[in-house]
Amino acid sequence: MTQDSVKPFTLTLGHLYPEQLNLYGDRGNIMTLRRRCQQRGIALRVVGLGIGDALAPDEYDMLFIGGGQDKEQAPVAQDLYEMKGIGLWAAIEDDMPVLAVCGGYQLLSHYYRPAEGPDMRGLGVIDAWTIHKGSHVARCIGNVAITWNGMTLVGFENHGGRTYLGSAKPLGKVLKGYGNNAEDHTEGAIYRNTFGTYLHGSLLPKNPHFADYLISLAIQRKYGQELLDTTDSDMGESNGTVHSQISNSVAVASTQTDETLEILAPLDDTLEWEAHASMLERLGLYSAANAVLRRSKD
Ligand code: GLN
């Protein structure tokens, strides 16, 4: 395989409601995905999808929806139902990687009952529901750390709504913070390749492993067969970005997640892991912080 015949990898990310749902730097998630793709020679095209825009699932490889205040969520809920619901549901059922943060996460569930006003109908693709306990009850605000895939995720949360999971699997278990509802120690939700979370901050800059997991899922979904068909030597030699380790040799990997994580060339994430560890330290999770620093040096 010659250099010229190597087709560069491209991904298209649909950013849902960038004007309405962009609290606490959620846009930082897009910047992180773009930078980490760029560093592997993967071209990431970002398309904003606002109120009134239709969502044709075949045009995207991954989707992001951020958080927002109740007053911004109401028109979004309406538009999700009238304009994007069917396309978004089809994309999710077809295992497209989707990251939904806070208010966006709440609207992928059955409904959000705000402190005031009528219930906001959600897409109902995540089997969960959210209830705001009223302005007299303290919001869930602060730094938060959860478990994920034997590692940790860190971020910042600020939500009045409490989310309760039905059959949806949690994204992780709360180590410090409130999580879904400050009651059952769950945080976020997973349905197929859709990840709901209350972690703002923004989430991905301080969690490079999760950013890479989303990128890897998108690459595998779009190029999976191609990657498998292409032998290691072809791939390694021709395109230093994505080195195919999806051959049998990684079958020993402990979880599917590890396998997926191993298809992207590693980056120097020293700064990211230091930021991650310092958040864990601030939360008093010293041994988790040390584990992160040790692993980042491996
Ligand atoms: N408005 C919702 C709540 O308060 C979501 C907040 C957010 O996205 N940060 O729960």
Side-chain angles (χ1 to χ4, degrees), residues 88-96 125 191-192 194:
L88 183 50
W89 195 301
I92 290 173
E93 291 298 336
D94 190 27
D95 291 335
M96 185 180 296
V125 70
Y191 174 69
R192 302 181 84 97
T194 292

Side-chain angles (χ1 to χ4, degrees), residues 21 23-24 26 66-73 101-106 112 114 120 130-132 139 156-163 198 200:
L21 300 183
L23 273 185
Y24 310 111
D26 286 342
Q69 295 176 40
D70 292 7
K71 67 178 175 6
E72 277 118 13
Q73 287 174 281
V101 174
C102 206
Y105 160 38
Q106 294 169 341
Y112 170 40
M120 295 180 208
T130 304
I131 296 169
H132 193 303
R139 293 176 67 81
F156 170 79
E157 60 183 331
N158 180 345
H159 53 107
R162 268 86 169 149
T163 297
Y198 274 114
H200 285 285

